[in-house]
Amino acid sequence: MEGPTLEVDRIRCDGHGLCAELLPELIRLDDWGYPLVRPVPVPGPLVGHARRAAAACPLLALRLRQGSR
Amino acid sequence: MTGLSLLSGPDPRAGMETAAAHLSRLGPLPSAGTELIDLLDRSDLRGRGGAAFPVGRKWRSVAERGGSGPVVLVNGAEGEPLSRKDRVLMEARPHLVLDGAALAARATGAGEVVLYVGAEHAGAVSALRRALAERPEAERRSTRIATAPARYVSGEETAAVHFLNEGVALPTSLPPRPYERGADGRPTLVQNVESLAHAAMIARHGDRWFRDLGRGEAAGTALLTLSGAVAVPGVLEVAQGSTVGEAVTGGGGLGAPARAVLLGGYFGGWVAAEQAWGLPLDAPALRDRGHSLGCGVVAVLPEHRCGVVESARIITYLAEQSARQCGPCVFGLRAAAAAMHRLAVTGAEPDDLERLRRWSGELSGRGACHHPDGAAGFLLSALRVFDEEFLHHHRRGGCSVRAREAA
């Protein structure tokens, strides 16, 4: 089965940038501090980090979604 | 102006076709129910609001939800500044639009129809209001008109639903999608007025008839809005699959030598003139070639206008029209507009061109709605088609078009 995917609620996201600090393998920030997420299923070894990044978002704008949409 | 299907009959400029004239010309509306959805599938009708999503599939997804009674949201909020076709259709053939809405309501089991029309489209609102007064009483009672605030994103489907629910015509995050939970929390079919009018013709004449209207693989006709360097700007109905060049000929030919064509409107993209003429006006075929039919805008940029200046103006407009809800759209489009303005007018910073190239790739898919995607696609097309002019502006701080004119 494919890994979960990361989704950003763009309206909620305020560009705090914690996600990119916690998950630099998959998330970097654009010129204005908003996340650019690699559009790939989260590989197994990174799932724990992805979960922590989602939990750390102060606005709960980052979600880990199981399966493809 | 003669039409092939939606605009056949009296000259659209003569104003609204009354119920009596409409019925004597086209006959009564067939009493099709859910079987119309299969007919629409076979007709290959695609949505004409810009996304070209198969209409039958959209109706089915709402019909299958059923639930507490779906809503049909007739989308006549034509926010694209270069588009006039929805307004012309609503003003000239309101009964065709209402027919399509009635069919959609029957096929999806909807008990309510909302006509969502741009507040600034006064002629369309008044034609629909007059036409509605001529409809059967049951239809009149289940239909209402809502006027959409004049703004580019008002016609986006989640914005339309948001407006009906909370009076705020701004896009919302997905999911839920409108067909799942829309107006009043009910499954909602949001469908462009032209798409509905086509459905009303297909219900009368059949899927085969509709497909045969198109050229080659393409089905049906499309309404276009011609503008810029054409002899007769305005709304034109063409067979889908006919070429951009033929559409321009239909508009009386070029009014001046052409540099490029903006195809699909501000959410579409530029195409160099010599490459544009042979392109087929058909959404899937254009998509395969990396272009977009969007809402049917064909705007011709004349030789004596600078593509960089024109593109800067458009990206500035799109930045101003951001719903200001998502960071990448607010800040990204603003920055792109500023860089474009410097390049076009006041003098570029060393990194401007390189940054614009990067942003045109990074801004897509970064909003709750497709506003940043549309702007990014537009930017990408500008950088590609006007490559030489951008370099000229970047290096010399001036305009090659003006330099040529002065020479």
Side-chain angles (χ1 to χ4, degrees), chain B residues 34 37 57-67 70 107-108 179 187:
Chain B
T34 49
I37 298 180
R57 225 196 296 167
K58 200 170 190 180
W59 289 27
R60 182 168 290 107
S61 63
V62 174
E64 282 171 353
R65 293 262 152 184
T108 59
Y179 77 85

Side-chain angles (χ1 to χ4, degrees), chain A residues 9-10 30-31 35-36 69, chain B residues 173 177 331 358-359 366:
Chain A
D9 184 326
R10 301 289 175 185
D30 67 13
D31 292 359
L36 282 156
R69 15 181 282 128
Chain B
S173 295
R177 292 173 185 277
F331 300 107
R358 183 161 51 82
W359 293 338
R366 305 283 306 289

Side-chain angles (χ1 to χ4, degrees), chain B residues 151 153 169-171 318-326 329-330 369 371:
Chain B
R151 137 170 246 171
V153 297
L170 296 178
L318 289 174
E320 283 165 1
Q321 290 293 315
S322 164
R324 292 185 168 75
Q325 299 190 112
C326 308
C329 184
V330 178
C369 75
H371 195 73

Side-chain angles (χ1 to χ4, degrees), chain B residues 315-372:
Chain B
I315 201 77
T316 301
Y317 171 86
L318 289 174
E320 283 165 1
Q321 290 293 315
S322 164
R324 292 185 168 75
Q325 299 190 112
C326 308
C329 184
V330 178
F331 300 107
L333 297 197
R334 186 189 291 164
M340 287 281 273
H341 182 74
R342 286 192 295 270
L343 268 161
V345 185
T346 56
E349 290 174 8
D351 294 344
D352 276 343
L353 195 52
E354 183 272 327
R355 279 191 293 204
L356 282 169
R357 289 194 180 119
R358 183 161 51 82
W359 293 338
S360 70
E362 282 180 359
L363 288 172
S364 193
R366 305 283 306 289
C369 75
H370 293 302
H371 195 73

Side-chain angles (χ1 to χ4, degrees), chain B residues 368-385:
Chain B
C369 75
H370 293 302
H371 195 73
D373 312 19
F378 171 79
L379 193 58
L380 194 64
S381 76
L383 292 167
R384 201 165 41 211
V385 171

Side-chain angles (χ1 to χ4, degrees), chain A residues 51-68:
Chain A
R51 204 163 279 142
R52 274 191 289 281
C57 175
L59 291 162
L60 302 178
L62 186 66
R63 276 182 307 233
L64 202 57
R65 219 164 117 112
Q66 197 52 246
S68 51

Side-chain angles (χ1 to χ4, degrees), chain B residues 225-268:
Chain B
T225 312
L226 292 178
S227 63
V230 289
V232 189
V235 174
L236 187 73
E237 185 172 24
V238 297
Q240 291 232 99
S242 54
T243 64
V244 172
E246 288 170 294
V248 168
T249 303
L254 288 174
R259 169 178 305 275
V261 176
L262 181 62
L263 201 54
Y266 289 9
F267 270 18

